[in-house]
Amino acid sequence: KIILVSVALIISISILFNKSPVVILSSLGALTAILLLVFKDSILGFVASVQVAILGIVKVGDWIEMPAYNADGNIIDINISTIKVQNFDKTITSIPTYAIISQPVKNWRGMEVSNCRRIKRSICIDISTIMFCDNEWLDSLKKINHIESYINQKESVIHAHNQDQKNNLNPVNTRQLTNIGLFRTYLNEYILNHPRINKDATILIRQLQPSEMGLPIELYCFTNTSDWIEYEAIQSDIFDHIFSVLPQFKLKAFQLPIVTA
């Protein structure tokens, strides 16, 4: 509309004064700098709105995050100058349209379209509770369905390896199963068999860098729903279970001691 009106105005002026449109355009050259300064936001907004519309960077209904504008919610309106976002606390944030092009913005549309959502959370293990597993303890751990076959397989491999080692009565000189290793294996099998986890997405149980807070074991996977309420319930249920099974592996979650006066 702006382009059509501008062209029509130039043609009208050229007919009215019987001048070539080229002459009129050249006479406007001196005013270009002033016009660009006065209408900077409108020009930037116009260009940005065209890019947003053509490239589909954001759409009405998208959940976006822009910390610079304290925006975290769904887009309710897009126009040439502003994009309005209704935050989750029901406040409205107005963002300049050109800011979507020039500044970082997180769009959660991909998560909603894929209908899965990432869980990426760690549990810190007290390092002093990490130890080797003796045969009696392993026999009791074999009663846990998710790791029974793993223990049986590893025992035969480890036994064959240790037979060729010197001083193999000392556990330092041989291969041994550890409670933290079995715990990671259990978590991996538990997540693989969880009905609310997306099996086509990445599933990863890994150790992170130890720190003064203990040894972090990170759970990385995706739920099979993107619904916020369901996602939080699934994530909470999984970690309820993880904290509850720690004593079975004689492990403890690290927690800062409570200082009393």
Side-chain angles (χ1 to χ4, degrees):
K1 288 181 180 179
I2 293 175
I3 294 174
L4 290 175
V5 170
S6 300
V7 171
L9 184 61
I10 292 172
I11 293 175
S12 299
I13 294 174
S14 66
I15 294 173
L16 183 62
F17 291 96
N18 195 23
K19 297 289 185 180
S20 171
V22 176
V23 176
I24 296 174
L25 288 173
S26 62
S27 64
L28 294 176
L31 299 176
T32 301
I34 298 175
L35 290 174
L36 289 175
L37 182 63
V38 173
F39 297 105
K40 181 189 71 171
D41 291 341
S42 298
I43 295 171
L44 288 174
F46 172 74
V47 174
S49 64
V50 172
Q51 290 179 293
V52 168
I54 294 176
L55 301 178
I57 298 173
V58 293
K59 298 178 181 178
V60 173
D62 284 357
W63 170 16
I64 67 169
E65 284 186 52
M66 287 192 72
Y69 292 89
N70 294 319
D72 184 9
N74 296 318
I75 296 175
I76 58 175
D77 182 54
I78 299 176
N79 57 53
I80 195 171
S81 58
T82 59
I83 292 177
K84 293 183 180 179
V85 177
Q86 184 177 53
N87 300 310
F88 292 120
D89 59 1
K90 300 305 180 183
T91 58
I92 305 295
T93 299
S94 294
I95 303 171
T97 304
Y98 61 81
I100 295 292
I101 305 298
S102 60
Q103 297 190 26
V105 56
K106 179 185 286 187
N107 191 336
W108 290 86
R109 186 198 311 159
M111 178 268 293
E112 294 175 339
V113 170
S114 65
N115 197 36
C116 63
R117 190 167 180 179
R118 184 183 68 176
I119 295 176
K120 186 175 183 290
R121 183 182 287 186
S122 301
I123 176 173
C124 290
I125 303 298
D126 187 339
I127 296 177
S128 66
T129 62
I130 298 175
M131 63 185 76
F132 291 126
C133 299
D134 57 32
N135 292 330
E136 182 180 354
W137 187 11
L138 286 175
D139 289 338
S140 66
L141 289 175
K142 287 178 184 178
K143 297 177 181 178
I144 300 176
N145 294 335
H146 289 319
I147 58 175
E148 179 184 5
S149 59
Y150 175 81
I151 294 176
N152 289 330
Q153 177 189 359
K154 283 295 182 180
E155 274 188 323
S156 60
V157 174
I158 290 173
H159 178 73
H161 175 271
N162 292 344
Q163 287 291 98
D164 300 329
Q165 302 302 311
K166 293 182 179 179
N167 301 319
N168 55 16
L169 296 179
N170 189 329
V172 176
N173 298 324
T174 58
R175 291 175 58 185
Q176 302 287 331
L177 289 173
T178 63
N179 57 345
I180 190 68
L182 291 176
F183 177 64
R184 286 190 294 107
T185 301
Y186 170 79
L187 287 187
N188 190 70
E189 292 299 317
Y190 172 72
I191 294 300
L192 283 172
N193 288 277
H194 198 288
R196 301 308 308 272
I197 296 299
N198 187 339
K199 308 305 186 300
D200 296 325
T202 301
I203 295 177
L204 177 65
I205 310 296
R206 62 172 181 166
Q207 290 187 15
L208 300 181
Q209 178 69 32
S211 68
E212 68 277 4
M213 302 297 291
L215 175 65
I217 301 295
E218 183 182 76
L219 174 65
Y220 188 103
C221 59
F222 292 79
T223 61
N224 58 9
T225 178
S226 60
D227 181 81
W228 189 7
I229 297 175
E230 289 186 44
Y231 163 79
E232 292 294 348
I234 294 168
Q235 181 173 236
S236 297
D237 287 344
I238 288 174
F239 276 86
D240 288 348
H241 180 79
I242 290 175
F243 280 106
S244 299
V245 301
L246 280 177
Q248 298 292 325
F249 295 88
K250 298 184 181 180
L251 293 169
K252 290 183 180 180
F254 182 85
Q255 181 174 296
L256 290 174
I258 299 175
V259 179
T260 57

